[in-house]
Amino acid sequence: MDFSTVVASQLNAGTIVPEVIVTITLVIILVGDLIAGRSASRWLPYAAIAGLLASVVSLYFCWDSPNPISFLGAFNGDNLSVVFRGIIALSTTVTILMSVRYVEQSGTSLAEFIAIMLTATLGGMFLSGANELVMIFVSLEMLSISSYLMTGYMKRDPRSNEAALKYLLIGASSSAIFLYGVSLLYGLSGGETTLNGIASQITDISTGESLGLAISLVFVIAGIAFKISAVPFHQWTPDVYEGSPTPVVAFLSVGSKAAGFALAIRLLVTAFALETKEWQFIFTALAILSMVLGNVVALAQTSMKRMLAYSSIGQAGFVMIGLIAGTDAGYSSMIFYLLIYLFMNLGAFICVILFALRTGTDQIGEYAGLYQKDPFLTLCLSICLLSLGGIPPLAGFFGKIYIFWAGWQAGLYWLVLIGLITSVISIYYYIRVVKMMVVKEPQEMSESIKNYPKINWTLSGMRPIQVGLVITLVATSLAGILSNPLFTLATDSVTSTPMLQSAAVATRLSQK
């Protein structure tokens, strides 16, 4: 066996074909914009969408890979990573559909926006399978820095600049905290960087090392909690959501959050296996705080984007129940919930974008009487909001049922009860918007609705929004009733991942 064969077998580069496709798409976007200039905006979004869909198709062929470990153990292309990479790629696809008209109307470059978003997507996809400390940090920063750039993309809007500055300052602090945590992990393991190597080295620790591991755990969880916007690391979320371009908010609420949960599962289950009870306790506190504060504070919001910001904090609390359960059902319910959250949350943001394009506002009070002028938009937004609230038979109801049932089976009774109570609270502020759109009498219409422009889907960039809206509406409506294929996918991704199987066995033994 010659040297090149050994190198090829060690690198096993076939596992990152989906990321290679996204990288090639990114290069095409940059070169196309450089050569064709502004005229390229007619075809560049569709080239980006085609590349992302090709990446999702290639992920299908990565399923059940016989040798998922690549790049000398730095990347793990197991089925768990395949599902999370698919969620991130799909969220970017829908986000680009809703971005075309929005970015063009703002007068900024669409090609640059798509290029930055594809870079963030690459960071999120690599983070989902990262199995080594250096790769985890580089992927995390690739996602984070791209997110900062997108947040401040509307340079002429002072709110966008303010949001970017807040996000950058708090994000840089959280990255430093996270880096300190993983550097402690590196030292305690005797210089290991792969997660499996760290787990094998930290098997029998003394009192001093135990304290070091506990400090490392706290710092790492702080970094992860910032990424998934869990209370009390959520301070950036409302201001960034309100000031950022709406498509960016949509991506942060789904793609970035999914990458954060993928990192949490892989890092905590592998490197912190000895501290399982400790991190489950910490996440229990984070989940309770996120569910209570997110859903209660959302009641008082007057801006649609701020309401959805606090809603996403509450939703992160629900997803954490599956992580805390630590069972096959818990991890499966997490993945299933993120799959359907992708469609119902992005669908809600598409509706917010459409309303803002036509009225120039996102204030909840301005939605009064929308049904009189735009029944289709009212229907779409109502279905997405009711699904987020967990109203049957929509997708969100089944997602919450699976999450709560997994938590109940794992003995997390109080956590599930708090989740149920806060879920009922959330229904109030979602239905309040629906009631405002539907029930208001013609004389009670808001000024924005009285001056509502005539709907014209033939304008540049409106067709992609229409396609995105129909896709998310159909998926939100049918994913609940036809949830079995999605739940089977989530379950298979967990039961075929050795890392999660060993963690689930350890959880069962500890409970006995």
Side-chain angles (χ1 to χ4, degrees):
M1 187 180 289
D2 60 6
F3 177 73
S4 61
T5 308
V6 173
V7 171
S9 64
Q10 289 292 316
L11 292 181
N12 190 21
T15 55
I16 62 160
V17 167
E19 286 78 9
V20 170
I21 292 172
V22 176
T23 306
I24 292 169
T25 307
L26 174 58
V27 173
I28 291 171
I29 297 297
L30 291 172
V31 174
D33 180 51
L34 190 65
I35 294 171
R38 289 278 181 175
S39 61
S41 61
R42 289 195 301 270
W43 59 270
L44 284 181
Y46 306 106
I49 290 167
L52 288 164
L53 292 177
S55 176
V56 173
V57 171
S58 69
L59 282 168
Y60 172 80
F61 295 101
C62 293
W63 188 262
D64 280 337
S65 171
N67 183 20
I69 306 296
S70 58
F71 294 95
L72 307 175
F75 188 83
N76 191 343
D78 55 18
N79 290 347
L80 182 74
S81 79
V82 168
V83 172
F84 274 104
R85 288 146 77 194
I87 291 171
I88 293 165
L90 285 173
S91 68
T92 308
T93 304
V94 179
T95 304
I96 290 174
L97 284 172
M98 71 172 85
S99 302
V100 179
R101 178 69 182 172
Y102 188 96
V103 177
E104 282 181 350
Q105 190 159 306
S106 70
T108 49
S109 170
L110 180 61
E112 290 175 14
F113 181 81
I114 293 173
I116 298 170
M117 183 157 283
L118 288 176
T119 307
T121 305
L122 271 176
M125 291 176 76
F126 276 119
L127 188 61
S128 299
N131 198 45
E132 194 248 1
L133 297 181
V134 175
M135 190 165 193
I136 285 173
F137 189 70
V138 171
S139 304
L140 183 65
E141 287 308 290
M142 190 176 183
L143 173 61
S144 299
I145 293 170
S146 302
S147 300
Y148 306 151
L149 291 172
M150 288 191 295
T151 302
Y153 195 71
M154 303 303 174
K155 297 181 283 290
R156 300 181 186 88
D157 186 352
R159 294 188 309 163
S160 182
N161 295 329
E162 181 188 350
L165 187 59
K166 286 180 179 176
Y167 195 18
L168 172 63
L169 293 174
I170 301 174
S173 303
S174 77
S175 295
I177 291 169
F178 179 81
L179 183 59
Y180 184 69
V182 295
S183 68
L184 280 174
L185 204 56
Y186 171 78
L188 290 168
S189 63
E192 289 286 343
T193 57
T194 61
L195 298 185
N196 296 329
I198 291 168
S200 63
Q201 289 295 322
I202 308 179
T203 52
D204 184 24
I205 51 179
S206 63
T207 306
E209 289 174 330
S210 178
L211 177 62
L213 192 62
I215 295 171
S216 172
L217 175 65
V218 170
F219 278 73
V220 165
I221 288 179
I224 293 171
F226 169 83
K227 189 53 64 181
I228 62 176
S229 59
V231 178
F233 303 94
H234 69 292
Q235 302 97 331
W236 61 276
T237 310
D239 292 334
V240 169
Y241 274 44
E242 187 176 25
S244 301
T246 311
V248 176
V249 178
F251 176 78
L252 291 177
S253 69
V254 178
S256 183
K257 201 181 288 286
F261 277 112
L263 171 63
I265 293 173
R266 197 170 296 279
L267 192 55
L268 297 173
V269 165
T270 308
F272 292 101
L274 291 179
E275 301 280 329
T276 299
K277 287 186 177 178
E278 285 77 6
W279 65 252
Q280 285 179 340
F281 175 77
I282 295 171
F283 268 99
T284 301
L286 294 179
I288 292 171
L289 289 171
S290 299
M291 288 187 291
V292 173
L293 186 138
N295 289 303
V296 170
V297 178
L299 294 170
Q301 300 309 308
T302 57
S303 163
M304 197 69 178
K305 285 165 74 173
R306 282 186 81 90
M307 189 198 82
L308 290 172
Y310 282 105
S311 163
S312 78
I313 293 169
Q315 301 287 346
F318 296 137
V319 177
M320 278 187 264
I321 294 175
L323 180 64
I324 298 159
T327 59
D328 285 352
Y331 296 124
S332 301
S333 62
M334 276 182 74
I335 294 167
F336 177 77
Y337 197 83
L338 287 170
L339 278 167
I340 59 175
Y341 182 66
L342 156 71
F343 295 107
M344 57 190 184
N345 205 51
L346 291 182
F349 275 109
I350 292 175
C351 295
V352 172
I353 284 175
L354 270 174
F355 187 78
L357 286 173
R358 290 169 181 165
T359 63
T361 180
D362 72 330
Q363 294 298 304
I364 293 173
E366 295 300 316
Y367 283 76
L370 180 61
Y371 178 74
Q372 311 288 337
K373 295 289 184 77
D374 197 340
F376 177 64
L377 183 58
T378 304
L379 172 69
C380 295
L381 184 54
S382 299
I383 287 177
C384 291
L385 292 178
L386 293 176
S387 183
L388 284 166
I391 301 294
L394 300 171
F397 169 75
F398 292 94
K400 287 185 179 178
I401 284 289
Y402 285 137
I403 284 269
F404 293 152
W405 179 241
W408 193 267
Q409 284 181 314
L412 307 173
Y413 306 121
W414 282 106
L415 196 57
V416 172
L417 286 173
I418 292 170
L420 286 168
I421 293 167
T422 53
S423 187
V424 171
I425 292 171
S426 74
I427 292 171
Y428 173 79
Y429 60 78
Y430 291 129
I431 286 185
R432 183 184 61 166
V433 179
V434 177
K435 178 175 176 285
M436 189 164 287
M437 291 189 294
V438 176
V439 177
K440 292 284 183 179
E441 296 297 325
Q443 65 269 20
E444 294 178 306
M445 280 184 188
S446 67
E447 286 301 315
S448 297
I449 299 301
K450 288 177 183 176
N451 302 319
Y452 201 75
K454 186 179 179 182
I455 300 161
N456 186 2
W457 291 106
T458 60
L459 293 172
S460 173
M462 290 299 285
R463 287 299 179 194
I465 295 182
Q466 190 177 32
V467 170
L469 190 55
V470 170
I471 290 171
T472 52
L473 178 66
V474 171
T476 302
S477 304
L478 299 182
I481 302 166
L482 307 175
S483 61
N484 200 48
L486 288 178
F487 197 70
T488 302
L489 173 70
T491 305
D492 289 348
S493 70
V494 171
T495 54
S496 58
T497 302
M499 168 189 72
L500 294 183
Q501 288 310 293
S502 58
V505 170
T507 301
R508 284 197 295 270
L509 290 174
S510 67
Q511 287 174 347
K512 290 178 182 178

